[in-house]
Amino acid sequence: MLYAKLQSYVGEEFLIKTLPASLSNFPSTRGIRVMKCPNNPLIIGELKLSEELYQFSIIPYTELQIENQVVTKETILNNFSRIYIPCKECRIKHYYTFILPLREPLKYEAQRAAQTQFNRVHDKVLYAKWTQEDKEMLKKLILQFGYGRWNKLQQLKFANRTKQEIKAFANSLLRSIVELLVNYDLGAGIVNLIEENPDDPYIETNQKDWELQNLKQKLISISKRILMLAKIREFIKKFKEHQLKNLGIKDKSQLKWDYLLGFIPSSSFYSQRPSIWWTRKHDSDLIRGVYQYGYTNHLMIKEASDLCFKDLSTSQNYQEFPFPETLNKRVKKLVQIIQKFDGFYDFDNLAQSDDEEEKSWSIAEKQALFNLLCDYGVPIGVDGRQNWQELKDKLILKINKFDKNLNQLEKMVQTIRTRCEQMLMKHKEREFLESDSSELEIEQPPSSIGEIRDEQGDEFQISYQDSQKFSKQTNMLHFIRKNILPQNQALFQQHIQQVEKELFIDIPEYDPKIHDIQIIITLSQTGFNGLQPITLNNINIIMTTEQILNRIEQLCSFFKKIRDQTNIKRKPELKDDQQKKIKPNTNGGVNEIQLPYQVSTSLKLVSLGRIIPSPAYHSEHNLFPVGYKSIRTHASMFTKGKRCQYTCEILEGSDGKPLFKVTSEEDVENPIIKNSCTGCWVHIYNKINELQEHKKSKVTISGTDRFGLLEANVQRYLEELQNAELCSKYKFKYRNVTQDF
């Protein structure tokens, strides 16, 4: 029988198949050899199991630490308990995580509770004191701040409630969620969060109290959020404890938050950054903001005086605040990065930057890249992503023997950007100190933020003025390409009347509808260094370079304000006519939907089709109903810069397999028919790529995404179709098929 396992810091697993079992430092038939260190005792400890309570414990025979606490007597082990065996000799630290099999925490949680002295009598008096509104507010706050934040909940809404009361109802909520969950892994994680003491009041589970029946489809995402917030809480708690204990800090206001993520290597942060200007500092403050102001409370995070985002509204560098969905994805990404360290956070050691990577760049290469970025920025491809291949092509024109790959190029761009941001922050700190006390002697900051040396000892320095120029010009170009120009200048066209009214320019016959777009496109295509006086279309008036730059700054500042207001708004509630299109059934599913249905700005659902339960018509993650039809708005295959509609359909093939068809409105006589939806869209992307000045060497695209099959709402509707439950390979995300049967 497999009782549990120990997983080491480096990923090695030790299976516990017999109990009691010794943790040894030598080969043993009755024990588990977890280390090979001659300077430690032969027997380190013994694992035991209390059968009646199904409770594990460890008896230490030498110095051990459990959850960072030194233990000298028998200590209970919970799922994911962390064990550390101190050793000064071995290079690899002796860290272990105690892990139970997947279903054990759920199976035995109630059994253990029933057989201990914990109170399990429903407190009717306490239950009667809480209204339904109180319970709804508690559920909302737990989904915003997480389980265990009792002080925060008291501070916000429950000042007249004790922590024990709040915890009792929170435990009832978590148990209610576990009862409905079909995912045992998530259920085990939720159970392990529950905190209880023998004298705590007890509130029994009741689905009606928490109105979870209507949230069945969202229980998995709700559980993941609760676990994510619990990880953030644990991480922040350990950081505070470390700072207060090891650095001798007595006042929490003096915590050095810049060290929060300092131990994580820079390379871990490169992917999925919310914006090109995003740095480790923004990541640290985002985690702090979620902990302090709540998940999805982006407005307060943006305006918080103790976080760096407050500077965005006054910044002249056109750093627009990211969309809420983008920030939520970043939080999840950061928690995934933190989880890789399995609770062993080395806050004392700051991770080194990729020094070897930097040394592989010559000073001439770094200087050429810096100058190119200041001039042209990072280009944006037709797919809306940063086009590193185009940037590399331009750099090759300046450096004949440039041999770095795209990944190395991206890392160096981020390194330069981080150094510029650090220089600007240091300068700002100096200004603050000077204004705070004119009598205080301030040490002048260096003219550059560090030095990068190559093999010959040369130096590449970035001055404060360089940093200002870099930040302003690269962010301006990115803002133009990402916000003003996409979708045939949709943002500009939407607000053209406001532009004409508010942004005056002293040039006779200047027409913003024509000439603003002309100068913006010119800057995007040529960069700053290539910008020359322009003869304005239709009026033959020459606009000087200075006038062009002043006007573009006006426009960027104007549209940044609009974008900031748009980004921070929550998703609008469905209007009455939209709500009528979705008719829920009593099980929380969907019985009817009025088609066509606008899923997003670029996707319209026309037909759901019918399910064929053959293995060829579904996979583990997708259903492929025959007759499914959607319309996707995307870049044209024939005209660069234009967008058009593509009709996506799933057909029944003659060989028992589905066919996928995509028809462009520009070429209805020649539809694209392939054996996979990705095959159709790779064909389209290759055509689009051929139109570009800087072509990608390899085109990648998700056909299921372009068809709309990955949209959450679409998946909900498809799962409700007749015969969907007969698709044996498909893993349902929103429908509880087991309960339906």
Side-chain angles (χ1 to χ4, degrees):
M1 176 179 178
L2 176 62
Y3 288 96
K5 70 177 180 180
L6 288 173
Q7 183 166 305
S8 74
Y9 182 62
V10 293
E12 189 177 3
E13 293 184 348
F14 305 94
L15 302 183
I16 303 169
K17 297 182 179 180
T18 59
L19 286 172
S22 298
L23 301 182
S24 67
N25 191 20
F26 72 103
S28 171
T29 56
R30 61 177 291 272
I32 304 168
R33 186 176 188 180
V34 295
M35 57 193 301
K36 302 173 184 178
C37 178
N39 295 307
N40 268 301
L42 296 181
I43 302 295
I44 296 145
E46 185 175 280
L47 290 173
K48 294 177 60 179
L49 170 64
S50 173
E51 293 284 355
E52 64 275 8
L53 300 180
Y54 205 83
Q55 193 169 73
F56 292 88
S57 62
I58 185 170
I59 302 174
Y61 292 164
T62 184
E63 181 182 349
L64 289 181
Q65 292 182 19
I66 310 293
E67 297 294 342
N68 296 325
Q69 299 293 324
V70 177
V71 296
T72 57
K73 59 183 180 179
E74 184 173 357
T75 303
I76 293 173
L77 293 176
N78 297 313
N79 198 21
F80 302 114
S81 287
R82 287 177 283 270
I83 304 170
Y84 174 55
I85 306 172
C87 177
K88 297 180 180 179
E89 303 296 328
C90 298
R91 181 177 59 86
I92 299 176
K93 296 182 178 180
H94 302 300
Y95 286 113
Y96 305 90
T97 302
F98 179 78
I99 303 175
L100 292 171
L102 192 60
R103 301 191 180 193
E104 299 307 318
L106 287 173
K107 183 177 178 181
Y108 293 99
E109 192 271 341
Q111 179 184 338
R112 287 199 302 269
Q115 297 185 23
T116 58
Q117 298 178 353
F118 280 34
N119 174 25
R120 281 296 181 272
V121 178
H122 178 56
D123 194 328
K124 296 181 180 179
V125 176
L126 175 59
Y127 181 81
K129 292 180 180 178
W130 280 59
T131 65
Q132 189 60 37
E133 289 76 16
D134 289 334
K135 286 174 271 190
E136 279 300 305
M137 178 57 66
L138 177 62
K139 180 173 70 176
K140 177 181 177 182
L141 291 178
I142 285 179
L143 291 178
Q144 194 170 12
F145 292 92
Y147 178 88
R149 301 290 305 280
W150 316 130
N151 289 334
K152 192 72 175 180
L153 301 191
Q154 281 183 315
Q155 175 188 343
L156 291 172
K157 293 292 182 180
F158 295 103
N160 59 338
R161 306 288 189 187
T162 67
K163 295 178 184 178
Q164 287 73 21
E165 285 182 52
I166 301 172
K167 183 165 65 171
F169 278 91
N171 289 343
S172 173
L173 170 61
L174 263 58
R175 289 194 179 96
S176 299
I177 291 173
V178 171
E179 284 183 0
L180 293 176
L181 269 177
V182 295
N183 186 309
Y184 285 96
D185 199 11
L186 289 176
I190 295 294
V191 166
N192 286 326
L193 292 181
I194 296 176
E195 302 172 357
E196 279 185 313
N197 295 313
D199 297 330
D200 285 347
Y202 178 77
I203 302 297
E204 63 185 11
T205 60
N206 187 334
Q207 308 299 336
K208 293 182 180 179
D209 282 343
W210 308 107
E211 298 183 359
L212 294 176
Q213 293 291 340
N214 297 330
L215 296 174
K216 277 186 179 181
Q217 298 174 352
K218 298 182 178 179
L219 279 180
I220 289 180
S221 60
I222 286 173
S223 302
K224 287 181 178 179
R225 182 191 291 193
I226 291 174
L227 292 173
M228 179 186 70
L229 292 172
K231 175 57 67 175
I232 292 176
R233 173 195 170 214
E234 177 218 12
F235 181 63
I236 296 289
K237 179 182 177 182
K238 289 195 173 184
F239 175 77
K240 288 181 176 179
E241 289 174 349
H242 177 270
Q243 291 261 308
L244 294 172
K245 179 180 178 181
N246 293 13
L247 300 184
I249 296 175
K250 297 182 179 180
D251 186 352
K252 289 184 178 181
S253 63
Q254 297 176 345
L255 292 173
K256 298 179 180 180
W257 288 102
D258 287 345
Y259 287 77
L260 183 65
L261 301 175
F263 64 95
I264 301 176
S266 301
S267 56
S268 300
F269 298 99
Y270 287 145
S271 64
Q272 300 178 19
R273 286 180 296 125
S275 188
I276 62 168
W277 47 264
W278 195 271
T279 65
R280 189 193 298 252
K281 172 67 174 174
H282 298 103
D283 281 327
S284 295
D285 279 10
L286 180 59
I287 290 292
R288 283 179 61 198
V290 169
Y291 178 80
Q292 189 168 346
Y293 302 105
Y295 185 68
T296 73
N297 199 351
H298 304 109
L299 182 58
M300 291 193 70
I301 292 174
K302 178 188 176 184
E303 297 178 349
S305 60
D306 56 339
L307 302 179
C308 63
F309 302 112
K310 69 181 185 301
D311 300 329
L312 297 180
S313 57
T314 58
S315 171
Q316 297 302 311
N317 291 333
Y318 314 105
Q319 299 173 337
E320 73 278 13
F321 194 65
F323 284 102
E325 294 82 359
T326 305
L327 291 173
N328 292 343
K329 288 181 180 178
R330 187 62 176 177
V331 173
K332 294 173 184 176
K333 172 71 174 177
L334 293 174
V335 172
Q336 289 174 359
I337 294 172
I338 292 169
Q339 284 177 323
K340 291 180 181 179
F341 291 84
D342 199 25
F344 304 116
Y345 313 123
D346 198 355
F347 296 116
D348 286 326
N349 295 323
L350 294 181
Q352 299 299 314
S353 60
D354 302 324
D355 291 332
E356 294 303 319
E357 185 70 38
E358 291 183 12
K359 289 177 183 177
S360 69
W361 287 67
S362 69
I363 299 304
E365 288 174 332
K366 296 168 191 172
Q367 191 65 57
L369 176 59
F370 181 84
N371 293 338
L372 177 60
L373 291 170
C374 287
D375 172 34
Y376 194 72
V378 179
I380 302 293
V382 293
D383 56 359
R385 300 177 181 178
Q386 293 169 328
N387 192 337
W388 298 105
Q389 184 60 55
E390 182 180 346
L391 184 65
K392 180 178 178 179
D393 292 342
K394 287 186 173 293
L395 195 56
I396 289 174
L397 297 176
K398 299 178 179 293
I399 304 172
N400 293 328
K401 296 181 179 180
F402 183 73
D403 58 353
K404 304 297 185 294
N405 59 40
L406 298 185
N407 187 44
Q408 291 173 305
L409 177 61
E410 182 180 359
K411 286 183 177 180
M412 182 51 66
V413 170
Q414 181 62 4
T415 297
I416 292 175
R417 180 172 293 281
T418 300
R419 290 172 182 269
C420 289
E421 292 291 337
Q422 289 173 341
M423 168 57 74
L424 295 175
M425 289 176 63
K426 280 196 172 185
H427 185 82
K428 188 170 184 178
E429 289 174 2
R430 185 189 69 171
E431 288 183 335
F432 173 78
L433 291 173
E434 287 177 343
S435 62
D436 190 50
S437 176
S438 58
E439 298 179 359
L440 187 64
E441 292 185 5
I442 305 296
E443 182 181 351
Q444 297 297 318
S447 60
S448 66
I449 185 66
E451 298 175 351
I452 307 177
R453 297 176 180 271
D454 70 359
E455 301 78 16
Q456 288 74 35
D458 295 327
E459 296 177 359
F460 168 65
Q461 297 184 343
I462 305 175
S463 67
Y464 170 66
Q465 290 73 21
D466 289 337
S467 299
Q468 279 186 310
K469 178 182 178 182
F470 177 91
S471 183
K472 179 177 181 178
Q473 295 188 179
T474 56
N475 289 328
M476 180 186 288
L477 286 164
H478 181 77
F479 184 81
I480 288 171
R481 293 164 180 161
K482 196 75 174 177
N483 294 281
I484 300 179
L485 292 180
Q487 301 182 15
N488 296 324
Q489 304 97 41
L491 181 67
F492 182 87
Q493 301 300 337
Q494 182 182 353
H495 298 278
I496 183 59
Q497 293 182 351
Q498 200 174 347
V499 170
E500 292 175 328
K501 181 179 179 181
E502 297 184 19
L503 302 184
F504 173 76
I505 182 168
D506 190 17
I507 296 179
E509 301 182 53
Y510 188 93
D511 187 349
K513 289 193 293 290
I514 300 173
H515 302 132
D516 280 345
I517 290 297
Q518 180 186 356
I519 63 175
I520 287 174
I521 291 176
T522 300
L523 176 62
S524 179
Q525 292 177 346
T526 66
F528 285 93
N529 292 344
L531 201 58
Q532 302 293 329
I534 297 174
T535 300
L536 298 174
N537 295 336
N538 302 336
I539 59 175
N540 294 325
I541 293 179
I542 296 177
M543 191 174 187
T544 66
T545 304
E546 183 179 0
Q547 287 176 313
I548 294 171
L549 291 175
N550 289 338
R551 180 62 176 180
I552 289 177
E553 284 193 35
Q554 262 190 319
L555 291 167
C556 288
S557 298
F558 173 81
F559 284 109
K560 181 180 180 295
K561 291 179 181 178
I562 291 176
R563 180 57 76 196
D564 284 346
Q565 294 168 0
T566 305
N567 286 3
I568 204 60
K569 289 179 181 177
R570 294 180 180 268
K571 290 183 178 178
E573 298 292 331
L574 289 177
K575 297 179 181 178
D576 291 340
D577 61 336
Q578 291 175 307
Q579 289 176 334
K580 292 175 184 176
K581 293 179 180 180
I582 307 172
K583 297 184 179 180
N585 60 31
T586 56
N587 294 324
V590 178
N591 282 333
E592 295 182 38
I593 175 175
Q594 293 184 10
L595 299 171
Y597 178 68
Q598 194 72 38
V599 181
S600 67
T601 55
S602 64
L603 179 68
K604 181 186 291 185
L605 182 60
V606 178
S607 173
L608 291 172
R610 60 185 175 87
I611 294 290
I612 296 179
S614 166
Y617 285 85
H618 69 276
S619 66
E620 183 179 337
H621 303 291
N622 294 107
L623 298 169
F624 303 116
V626 171
Y628 173 89
K629 182 187 288 188
S630 63
I631 298 176
R632 172 70 72 178
T633 302
H634 196 75
S636 167
M637 292 188 290
F638 306 102
T639 307
K640 182 180 178 181
K642 182 181 177 182
R643 294 173 70 81
C644 68
Q645 291 186 340
Y646 294 86
T647 301
C648 307
E649 301 174 77
I650 301 177
L651 312 175
E652 186 172 4
S654 58
D655 59 350
K657 297 180 181 179
L659 290 175
F660 299 85
K661 176 182 175 182
V662 178
T663 307
S664 169
E665 66 173 339
E666 297 177 307
D667 190 14
V668 294
E669 300 299 325
N670 296 293
I672 303 161
I673 302 177
K674 302 283 184 181
N675 292 325
S676 71
C677 43
T678 296
C680 295
W681 277 96
V682 166
H683 177 88
I684 293 169
Y685 262 57
N686 282 329
K687 291 284 187 182
I688 296 172
N689 193 37
E690 291 173 3
L691 299 176
Q692 308 309 310
E693 179 181 353
H694 299 279
K695 298 175 176 57
K696 292 184 176 181
S697 58
K698 183 180 179 181
V699 172
T700 57
I701 183 66
S702 168
T704 48
D705 173 68
R706 295 292 84 191
F707 264 64
L709 296 170
L710 298 184
E711 291 285 343
N713 281 337
V714 174
Q715 289 181 335
R716 286 191 181 97
Y717 306 144
L718 297 183
E719 288 184 3
E720 292 292 332
L721 290 176
Q722 185 177 359
N723 294 329
E725 68 277 4
L726 302 179
C727 296
S728 57
K729 294 188 296 183
Y730 181 72
K731 291 187 176 180
F732 284 81
K733 304 174 182 65
Y734 305 101
R735 178 178 171 185
N736 191 339
V737 175
T738 304
Q739 194 170 56
D740 289 348
F741 274 103

